[in-house]
Amino acid sequence: MKKDIFVVGAVIVNEDKILCAQRGVSKSLPLKWEFPGGKIESGETPEEALKREIHEEMNCQVEIGDHVEDTTYEYDFGIVHLTTYYCRLIEGTPTLTEHVAIKWLSRAELNILDWAPADIPAIQKIMNHRVDSTI
C-alpha cells in the first residue's frame, strides 16, 4: 500500500503574474514545475503549513487567500493529496533555496511549462478564472 502524502501549494499572485517554481534535479519529479509549498506537519492546518513552507522555501511571507483546488495524484513514491491556495506576498521577495528556477507567468502562459501532474488540475482552473479578485 502506498503512503498518503498531504501537501499544500501557494499560487502566489503579484501584478497579475503567478509564481512558478522548478524542482531540483535531485528531488522526486526532477525539473518539473510546481507551486511552492510542502508537507503538512502533524497538528498544522493547511494554511499554517503553507505559511511555514513559503517562509522556509522562499524566504518571504504570504497572505493566504481563496482555495484553488484539491487534487489527489498517485505517483510511484506515494499518493499526493495537494491543496492549493491563492496567496499574496506581504513581505520579502521569493528567493531560490530549494528550487532551481522561478518564473512569473501570466495565466495564459502557465501551460508552457512541464508541470508536476498533481498541479495540473489547479493550472487548468486558474487559466479559466480571473486571479485579480482572489485575495
Side-chain angles (χ1 to χ4, degrees):
M1 189 165 160
K2 292 189 177 179
K3 180 180 179 181
D4 285 301
I5 305 164
F6 294 88
V7 297
V8 285
V11 180
I12 301 173
V13 181
N14 188 29
E15 296 181 6
D16 221 20
K17 298 280 186 174
I18 297 169
L19 181 71
C20 310
Q22 189 175 34
R23 297 178 63 82
V25 291
S26 63
K27 303 269 186 187
S28 59
L29 307 171
L31 300 178
K32 293 282 190 183
W33 289 84
E34 67 180 358
F35 294 117
K39 290 181 185 171
I40 301 171
E41 301 204 354
S42 180
E44 280 184 320
T45 66
E47 295 87 351
E48 290 167 341
L50 193 51
K51 286 182 180 183
R52 175 186 53 75
E53 286 284 351
I54 296 305
H55 182 258
E56 291 173 4
E57 283 187 12
M58 298 272 162
N59 291 323
C60 57
Q61 304 289 329
V62 293
E63 176 184 0
I64 310 293
D66 292 343
H67 171 263
V68 178
E69 187 67 86
D70 289 308
T71 304
T72 299
Y73 191 87
E74 186 173 345
Y75 293 101
D76 57 352
F77 57 83
I79 301 169
V80 170
H81 304 269
L82 171 64
T83 302
T84 47
Y85 294 89
Y86 286 112
C87 296
R88 181 176 64 88
L89 286 173
I90 56 174
E91 184 180 313
T93 301
T95 57
L96 295 175
T97 62
E98 294 191 17
H99 294 91
V100 295
I102 57 174
K103 291 184 180 197
W104 290 95
L105 298 178
S106 70
R107 286 183 305 128
E109 296 172 306
L110 292 176
N111 62 357
I112 67 172
L113 300 177
D114 183 17
W115 288 91
D119 288 273
I120 291 173
I123 296 296
Q124 292 169 339
K125 192 169 188 178
I126 292 162
M127 290 181 72
N128 292 316
H129 292 87
R130 292 180 55 92
V131 296
D132 58 356
S133 60
T134 58
I135 297 181

mmCIF file of all heavy atoms in Angstrom, residues 28-50:
data_model
loop_
_atom_site.group_PDB
_atom_site.id
_atom_site.type_symbol
_atom_site.label_atom_id
_atom_site.label_comp_id
_atom_site.label_asym_id
_atom_site.label_seq_id
_atom_site.Cartn_x
_atom_site.Cartn_y
_atom_site.Cartn_z
ATOM 1 N N SER A 28 12.441 14.219 -6.078
ATOM 2 C CA SER A 28 11.490 13.434 -6.858
ATOM 3 C C SER A 28 10.866 14.388 -7.877
ATOM 4 O O SER A 28 10.816 15.601 -7.655
ATOM 5 C CB SER A 28 10.427 12.824 -5.949
ATOM 6 O OG SER A 28 9.740 13.822 -5.248
ATOM 7 N N LEU A 29 10.428 13.874 -8.979
ATOM 8 C CA LEU A 29 9.902 14.693 -10.085
ATOM 9 C C LEU A 29 10.917 15.760 -10.515
ATOM 10 O O LEU A 29 10.617 16.948 -10.559
ATOM 11 C CB LEU A 29 8.575 15.351 -9.696
ATOM 12 C CG LEU A 29 7.495 14.406 -9.178
ATOM 13 C CD1 LEU A 29 6.314 15.183 -8.619
ATOM 14 C CD2 LEU A 29 7.052 13.457 -10.267
ATOM 15 N N PRO A 30 12.145 15.350 -10.839
ATOM 16 C CA PRO A 30 13.198 16.317 -11.161
ATOM 17 C C PRO A 30 12.831 17.248 -12.311
ATOM 18 O O PRO A 30 12.302 16.806 -13.331
ATOM 19 C CB PRO A 30 14.400 15.440 -11.515
ATOM 20 C CG PRO A 30 13.844 14.099 -11.819
ATOM 21 C CD PRO A 30 12.578 13.979 -11.039
ATOM 22 N N LEU A 31 13.103 18.532 -12.088
ATOM 23 C CA LEU A 31 12.924 19.622 -13.042
ATOM 24 C C LEU A 31 11.471 19.882 -13.455
ATOM 25 O O LEU A 31 11.226 20.688 -14.344
ATOM 26 C CB LEU A 31 13.812 19.436 -14.272
ATOM 27 C CG LEU A 31 15.316 19.390 -13.968
ATOM 28 C CD1 LEU A 31 16.104 19.149 -15.235
ATOM 29 C CD2 LEU A 31 15.779 20.658 -13.252
ATOM 30 N N LYS A 32 10.520 19.232 -12.808
ATOM 31 C CA LYS A 32 9.112 19.557 -13.049
ATOM 32 C C LYS A 32 8.811 20.894 -12.369
ATOM 33 O O LYS A 32 9.435 21.281 -11.380
ATOM 34 C CB LYS A 32 8.183 18.487 -12.467
ATOM 35 C CG LYS A 32 8.275 17.145 -13.158
ATOM 36 C CD LYS A 32 7.530 17.149 -14.470
ATOM 37 C CE LYS A 32 7.425 15.749 -15.032
ATOM 38 N NZ LYS A 32 6.771 15.733 -16.326
ATOM 39 N N TRP A 33 7.811 21.595 -12.880
ATOM 40 C CA TRP A 33 7.389 22.861 -12.309
ATOM 41 C C TRP A 33 6.241 22.609 -11.338
ATOM 42 O O TRP A 33 5.471 21.651 -11.516
ATOM 43 C CB TRP A 33 6.962 23.820 -13.413
ATOM 44 C CG TRP A 33 8.158 24.293 -14.188
ATOM 45 C CD1 TRP A 33 8.761 23.644 -15.230
ATOM 46 C CD2 TRP A 33 8.919 25.471 -13.960
ATOM 47 N NE1 TRP A 33 9.848 24.369 -15.663
ATOM 48 C CE2 TRP A 33 9.967 25.488 -14.910
ATOM 49 C CE3 TRP A 33 8.817 26.526 -13.051
ATOM 50 C CZ2 TRP A 33 10.908 26.520 -14.963
ATOM 51 C CZ3 TRP A 33 9.746 27.553 -13.110
ATOM 52 C CH2 TRP A 33 10.778 27.545 -14.055
ATOM 53 N N GLU A 34 6.158 23.441 -10.327
ATOM 54 C CA GLU A 34 5.143 23.289 -9.296
ATOM 55 C C GLU A 34 4.850 24.640 -8.658
ATOM 56 O O GLU A 34 5.573 25.610 -8.869
ATOM 57 C CB GLU A 34 5.607 22.311 -8.218
ATOM 58 C CG GLU A 34 6.789 22.835 -7.404
ATOM 59 C CD GLU A 34 7.276 21.876 -6.331
ATOM 60 O OE1 GLU A 34 6.677 20.795 -6.169
ATOM 61 O OE2 GLU A 34 8.253 22.226 -5.650
ATOM 62 N N PHE A 35 3.786 24.652 -7.857
ATOM 63 C CA PHE A 35 3.551 25.787 -6.977
ATOM 64 C C PHE A 35 4.331 25.506 -5.705
ATOM 65 O O PHE A 35 4.296 24.387 -5.186
ATOM 66 C CB PHE A 35 2.061 25.948 -6.679
ATOM 67 C CG PHE A 35 1.263 26.308 -7.894
ATOM 68 C CD1 PHE A 35 0.297 25.454 -8.373
ATOM 69 C CD2 PHE A 35 1.503 27.488 -8.577
ATOM 70 C CE1 PHE A 35 -0.438 25.766 -9.504
ATOM 71 C CE2 PHE A 35 0.791 27.814 -9.716
ATOM 72 C CZ PHE A 35 -0.184 26.947 -10.179
ATOM 73 N N PRO A 36 5.088 26.489 -5.196
ATOM 74 C CA PRO A 36 5.883 26.230 -3.994
ATOM 75 C C PRO A 36 4.995 25.872 -2.809
ATOM 76 O O PRO A 36 3.853 26.306 -2.718
ATOM 77 C CB PRO A 36 6.622 27.554 -3.769
ATOM 78 C CG PRO A 36 5.821 28.574 -4.495
ATOM 79 C CD PRO A 36 5.172 27.872 -5.642
ATOM 80 N N GLY A 37 5.539 25.094 -1.910
ATOM 81 C CA GLY A 37 4.808 24.650 -0.730
ATOM 82 C C GLY A 37 5.470 23.416 -0.179
ATOM 83 O O GLY A 37 6.663 23.218 -0.345
ATOM 84 N N GLY A 38 4.690 22.569 0.473
ATOM 85 C CA GLY A 38 5.283 21.363 1.036
ATOM 86 C C GLY A 38 4.317 20.600 1.908
ATOM 87 O O GLY A 38 3.111 20.845 1.899
ATOM 88 N N LYS A 39 4.887 19.690 2.687
ATOM 89 C CA LYS A 39 4.096 18.776 3.512
ATOM 90 C C LYS A 39 3.435 19.490 4.686
ATOM 91 O O LYS A 39 4.016 20.376 5.307
ATOM 92 C CB LYS A 39 4.971 17.654 4.043
ATOM 93 C CG LYS A 39 5.426 16.692 2.977
ATOM 94 C CD LYS A 39 6.271 15.576 3.572
ATOM 95 C CE LYS A 39 6.807 14.695 2.447
ATOM 96 N NZ LYS A 39 7.794 13.736 2.934
ATOM 97 N N ILE A 40 2.222 19.026 4.982
ATOM 98 C CA ILE A 40 1.512 19.482 6.178
ATOM 99 C C ILE A 40 1.999 18.623 7.337
ATOM 100 O O ILE A 40 1.931 17.393 7.279
ATOM 101 C CB ILE A 40 -0.015 19.332 6.002
ATOM 102 C CG1 ILE A 40 -0.488 20.134 4.797
ATOM 103 C CG2 ILE A 40 -0.744 19.760 7.280
ATOM 104 C CD1 ILE A 40 -1.944 19.871 4.421
ATOM 105 N N GLU A 41 2.508 19.260 8.379
ATOM 106 C CA GLU A 41 3.007 18.521 9.529
ATOM 107 C C GLU A 41 1.887 18.279 10.531
ATOM 108 O O GLU A 41 0.859 18.967 10.523
ATOM 109 C CB GLU A 41 4.168 19.288 10.158
ATOM 110 C CG GLU A 41 5.278 19.492 9.140
ATOM 111 C CD GLU A 41 6.634 19.711 9.758
ATOM 112 O OE1 GLU A 41 6.741 19.823 10.988
ATOM 113 O OE2 GLU A 41 7.593 19.775 8.975
ATOM 114 N N SER A 42 2.098 17.307 11.392
ATOM 115 C CA SER A 42 1.114 16.945 12.408
ATOM 116 C C SER A 42 0.725 18.158 13.240
ATOM 117 O O SER A 42 1.591 18.898 13.713
ATOM 118 C CB SER A 42 1.690 15.854 13.312
ATOM 119 O OG SER A 42 0.758 15.503 14.302
ATOM 120 N N GLY A 43 -0.569 18.377 13.380
ATOM 121 C CA GLY A 43 -1.067 19.492 14.189
ATOM 122 C C GLY A 43 -1.217 20.804 13.443
ATOM 123 O O GLY A 43 -1.709 21.775 13.997
ATOM 124 N N GLU A 44 -0.784 20.860 12.179
ATOM 125 C CA GLU A 44 -0.890 22.083 11.389
ATOM 126 C C GLU A 44 -2.162 22.080 10.558
ATOM 127 O O GLU A 44 -2.582 21.044 10.053
ATOM 128 C CB GLU A 44 0.280 22.202 10.393
ATOM 129 C CG GLU A 44 1.563 22.686 10.943
ATOM 130 C CD GLU A 44 2.617 22.858 9.851
ATOM 131 O OE1 GLU A 44 2.707 22.022 8.929
ATOM 132 O OE2 GLU A 44 3.368 23.829 9.945
ATOM 133 N N THR A 45 -2.728 23.268 10.369
ATOM 134 C CA THR A 45 -3.777 23.425 9.368
ATOM 135 C C THR A 45 -3.067 23.586 8.021
ATOM 136 O O THR A 45 -1.868 23.928 7.973
ATOM 137 C CB THR A 45 -4.635 24.670 9.631
ATOM 138 O OG1 THR A 45 -3.812 25.840 9.464
ATOM 139 C CG2 THR A 45 -5.251 24.652 11.026
ATOM 140 N N PRO A 46 -3.766 23.375 6.913
ATOM 141 C CA PRO A 46 -3.129 23.601 5.609
ATOM 142 C C PRO A 46 -2.581 25.031 5.473
ATOM 143 O O PRO A 46 -1.490 25.231 4.947
ATOM 144 C CB PRO A 46 -4.258 23.330 4.612
ATOM 145 C CG PRO A 46 -5.156 22.376 5.312
ATOM 146 C CD PRO A 46 -5.104 22.793 6.764
ATOM 147 N N GLU A 47 -3.334 25.999 5.979
ATOM 148 C CA GLU A 47 -2.893 27.406 5.878
ATOM 149 C C GLU A 47 -1.620 27.650 6.687
ATOM 150 O O GLU A 47 -0.711 28.348 6.233
ATOM 151 C CB GLU A 47 -4.012 28.346 6.337
ATOM 152 C CG GLU A 47 -5.243 28.322 5.443
ATOM 153 C CD GLU A 47 -6.267 27.242 5.794
ATOM 154 O OE1 GLU A 47 -5.988 26.365 6.644
ATOM 155 O OE2 GLU A 47 -7.359 27.279 5.203
ATOM 156 N N GLU A 48 -1.538 27.088 7.890
ATOM 157 C CA GLU A 48 -0.327 27.234 8.713
ATOM 158 C C GLU A 48 0.871 26.589 8.018
ATOM 159 O O GLU A 48 1.968 27.154 7.988
ATOM 160 C CB GLU A 48 -0.530 26.597 10.090
ATOM 161 C CG GLU A 48 -1.498 27.336 10.980
ATOM 162 C CD GLU A 48 -1.920 26.530 12.212
ATOM 163 O OE1 GLU A 48 -1.764 25.290 12.235
ATOM 164 O OE2 GLU A 48 -2.416 27.167 13.162
ATOM 165 N N ALA A 49 0.651 25.395 7.458
ATOM 166 C CA ALA A 49 1.728 24.697 6.750
ATOM 167 C C ALA A 49 2.212 25.515 5.563
ATOM 168 O O ALA A 49 3.420 25.617 5.316
ATOM 169 C CB ALA A 49 1.238 23.326 6.285
ATOM 170 N N LEU A 50 1.286 26.113 4.839
ATOM 171 C CA LEU A 50 1.658 26.884 3.658
ATOM 172 C C LEU A 50 2.480 28.115 4.034
ATOM 173 O O LEU A 50 3.509 28.395 3.409
ATOM 174 C CB LEU A 50 0.408 27.280 2.874
ATOM 175 C CG LEU A 50 0.640 27.808 1.470
ATOM 176 C CD1 LEU A 50 1.521 26.880 0.644
ATOM 177 C CD2 LEU A 50 -0.689 28.037 0.775
#
